[in-house]
Amino acid sequence: MASAQVTGSTVDRVRTDGPAGSGGRARDWAEIQERMLVPLYQDVYRRLEVGAATSLLGVGCRSGLALLLAAGRGAQVAGVEADGGLRELAAARGLQVVPGGGPAALARSAHSVPRPAHSLVTVFEQPPVPALVAWSAERTLPGGQLVVAAWGRPERCESAAVLEVARRYAPLDAPDPFAASGPGALESLLAAAGARPSGGGRAACPFAYAGLDSAVRGLLSTGLFERAEAAAGTALVVKELEEALRPYLRPDGSVRMANEFRWAVGTRPRR
């Protein structure tokens, strides 16, 4: 197997780009990482028959690829995203994305969402914590659908070993990316938010990168390593990421990890 290592330029680049919210990390997400979840988006849209009759709101939509795919099926789309760099990239794609961060910030920005409620609301790229799911349910029309997604079980995700780097250096109270991966976890979140669970599925989402450099940059752009970087420094996190990625290096220098994502859909009752 080909050998590879983090180069000084890789460490310098991610250190200069700073936290995941900076422009460099936003570009890395849009150029490297966001395509990894396309099988998830496509599975949801196919199963739910997203089309011209759909009004879709993407909560935490980042640079908007999922919205673009829905618009390509004829849906009317809008998004909410906290990161300014990602919103700029979404706007450059012709998408309407308004500011909004955690549940409190989302509540303050609700008035700027293009319409008060939608036939389909998706939470693809954000951890489906109860407050966020509840806020998203309030943006769902009666009779409409709310979709939440999460990593599959760790044993079905080769990236779990890489994500362990984040947990190793982050504070003890750092969120577990696999917290909602267990049986019934997503459905329970939907039910607690007042949406009746009505289906779901699994999607194979391999994380494939041209090389080790792009793998490190893509993974850091997810925001999952922010707390570890703050606690241990970017250089150490990059070094540990490189080591964790070595088992997934291919002879041609590319990196590939098989992963599974779960999604569940709930229907908001009609009044």
Side-chain angles (χ1 to χ4, degrees):
M1 178 174 292
S3 61
Q5 61 182 10
V6 169
T7 64
S9 60
T10 302
V11 177
D12 292 342
R13 183 183 302 111
V14 297
R15 181 187 295 118
T16 300
D17 286 345
S22 67
R25 296 288 175 87
R27 288 192 301 273
D28 284 344
W29 170 268
E31 296 173 2
I32 300 172
Q33 191 65 30
E34 70 176 348
R35 63 186 172 84
M36 308 303 175
L37 296 182
V38 165
L40 169 66
Y41 308 149
Q42 291 178 328
D43 188 48
V44 171
Y45 295 162
R46 177 183 59 82
R47 294 273 298 276
L48 300 186
E49 299 181 343
V50 169
T54 305
S55 166
L56 186 151
L57 177 67
V59 177
C61 64
R62 299 184 72 78
S63 51
L65 179 57
L67 297 181
L68 281 178
L69 293 174
R73 299 174 67 96
Q76 301 174 50
V77 302
V80 180
E81 171 56 46
D83 181 84
L86 290 167
R87 288 199 308 274
E88 288 180 9
L89 293 173
R93 291 169 161 176
L95 296 168
Q96 187 170 11
V97 177
V98 301
L106 284 170
R108 291 193 297 271
S109 68
H111 66 279
S112 61
V113 175
R115 56 194 300 173
H118 299 256
S119 65
L120 176 62
V121 177
T122 59
V123 184
F124 283 137
E125 292 95 354
Q126 299 296 313
V129 296
L132 184 60
V133 177
W135 186 93
S136 302
E138 293 173 357
R139 309 277 86 75
T140 307
L141 284 167
Q145 296 173 303
L146 169 61
V147 171
V148 291
W151 289 85
R153 296 295 299 166
E155 60 269 19
R156 300 182 68 87
C157 297
E158 290 184 332
S159 293
V162 178
L163 296 181
E164 184 59 31
V165 172
R167 299 187 67 187
R168 186 182 308 152
Y169 292 106
L172 294 177
D173 62 347
D176 178 2
F178 295 97
S181 68
L186 292 176
E187 291 78 3
S188 294
L189 286 167
L190 290 169
R196 177 176 53 82
S198 53
R202 303 173 187 272
C205 296
F207 282 16
Y209 306 94
L212 211 52
D213 176 273
S214 62
V216 170
R217 289 164 53 205
L219 288 164
L220 290 178
S221 76
T222 64
L224 294 172
F225 297 86
E226 281 187 6
R227 293 193 180 195
E229 288 185 83
T234 295
L236 179 58
V237 171
V238 168
K239 178 178 181 296
E240 293 290 329
L241 268 176
E242 281 268 339
E243 292 303 315
L245 286 165
R246 284 187 189 282
Y248 308 105
L249 271 171
R250 296 192 163 199
D252 63 358
S254 64
V255 176
R256 182 181 176 87
M257 295 173 284
N259 295 305
E260 179 182 274
F261 280 75
R262 295 184 61 244
W263 62 273
V265 56
T267 302
R268 187 176 181 188
R270 297 182 183 277
R271 303 281 180 201

